[in-house]
Amino acid sequence: DGGITQSPKYLFRKEGQNVTLSCEQNLNHDAMYWYRQDPGQGLRLIYYSQIVNDFQKGDIAEGYSVSREKKESFPLTVTSAQKNPTAFYLCASSKTGPSSYNEQFFGPGTRLTVL
Amino acid sequence: GDSVTQMEGPVTLSEEAFLTINCTYTATGYPSLFWYVQYPGEGLQLLLKATKADDKGSNKGFEATYRKETTSFHLEKGSVQVSDSAVYFCALSEGGGNKLTFGTGTQLKVEL
C-alpha cells in the first residue's frame, strides 16, 4: 500500500540533544512538508520541499533543519537551538503541477518529548 | 497574510444531532478551501474541499459550501455518529501553490 511512514511514533530526548525524525513516502510525490502541532494552535509549517535537493523555510523554521537527498525521504532534525521542541510533528506529501491545489497526504505523526 | 478562524471547541453533541462547525477566512486572492479530520493519535485526512465560490464539497455525509461574500466555509452534517468524534481543521491554499494555512482545529465529541 502506498502511503507515508513516520518513525518513531514516540520519541524522548534530553534537553540539548539534536534529534532526527524520519519521514518516508512511496506515493511518488514531488513535494514534502513538515508541520508542528501544539494544543490549541493548529498546524504550523516548518519546512517544505517541492523537488529533490531543494527546500524552503516555512513559518517557524528556527531551530530546525531538513535535507532532501532522495524523492522518498525528507528527514527533520530538531536542534538544540529550538527553544520549545516538545510537540507532535506531522509530515505530509503532495503532487505538484498546474492544478490550483494538490491534496496533501499526512503521515501518522511523531510525538517528541524533550525532558 | 492569509488566516483561518474556527469556532473553539470542544463541541459536544448527542448521536444523530445536527453539526455545524464555523470557519471563516482572510485571503488576498481566491483561495481553495478544505476541511481535514484528525482522529485520536493519527495524522490528518482530507475530508472535503472546494476550489471556487459557490462550490459545495461533500464526503461521508459532511458538507461545506464556499461562500465568497461572507468568506466562510462552514462544515455541516445532518446526523452525527460516535465515530465522527475527532478534531476538524479548516484550511486554505492560495496562489496555485501547495502551502496550506490551517485554523486551530475544533474538537468534536459525540455521545450516545
Side-chain angles (χ1 to χ4, degrees), chain B residues 76-88:
Chain B
E76 297 181 336
K77 187 175 185 183
S79 176
V80 294
Q81 305 300 313
V82 172
S83 58
D84 293 326
S85 298
V87 180
Y88 292 82

Side-chain angles (χ1 to χ4, degrees), chain A residues 17-32:
Chain A
Q17 289 181 334
N18 292 355
V19 60
T20 298
L21 281 60
S22 167
C23 177
E24 303 279 332
Q25 55 98 0
N26 61 3
L27 299 168
N28 199 32
H29 287 166
D30 287 313
M32 297 186 74

Side-chain angles (χ1 to χ4, degrees), chain A residues 81-115:
Chain A
Q82 168 50 234
K83 295 179 181 178
N84 187 19
T86 295
F88 189 51
Y89 290 87
L90 287 161
C91 179
S93 71
S94 74
K95 297 179 183 179
T96 57
S99 61
S100 60
Y101 176 76
N102 290 300
E103 176 184 349
Q104 290 190 19
F105 293 80
F106 283 81
T110 293
R111 186 167 297 281
L112 173 64
T113 302
V114 176
L115 306 171

Side-chain angles (χ1 to χ4, degrees), chain B residues 10-86:
Chain B
V11 173
T12 302
L13 296 174
S14 299
E15 201 169 42
E16 300 183 2
F18 184 85
L19 168 71
T20 300
I21 300 178
N22 290 338
C23 171
T24 57
Y25 67 89
T26 302
T28 53
Y30 302 95
S32 296
L33 302 173
F34 313 90
W35 278 100
Y36 278 82
V37 58
Q38 184 179 35
Y39 297 102
E42 297 184 7
L44 276 67
Q45 303 171 27
L46 180 66
L47 182 60
L48 54 84
K49 68 181 181 184
T51 58
K52 62 182 187 296
D54 300 325
D55 270 1
K56 177 185 282 188
S58 62
N59 185 26
K60 299 180 181 179
F62 291 89
E63 294 183 338
T65 301
Y66 189 141
R67 301 288 188 199
K68 184 172 180 292
E69 64 275 14
T70 55
T71 62
S72 65
F73 193 54
H74 305 321
L75 182 68
E76 297 181 336
K77 187 175 185 183
S79 176
V80 294
Q81 305 300 313
V82 172
S83 58
D84 293 326
S85 298

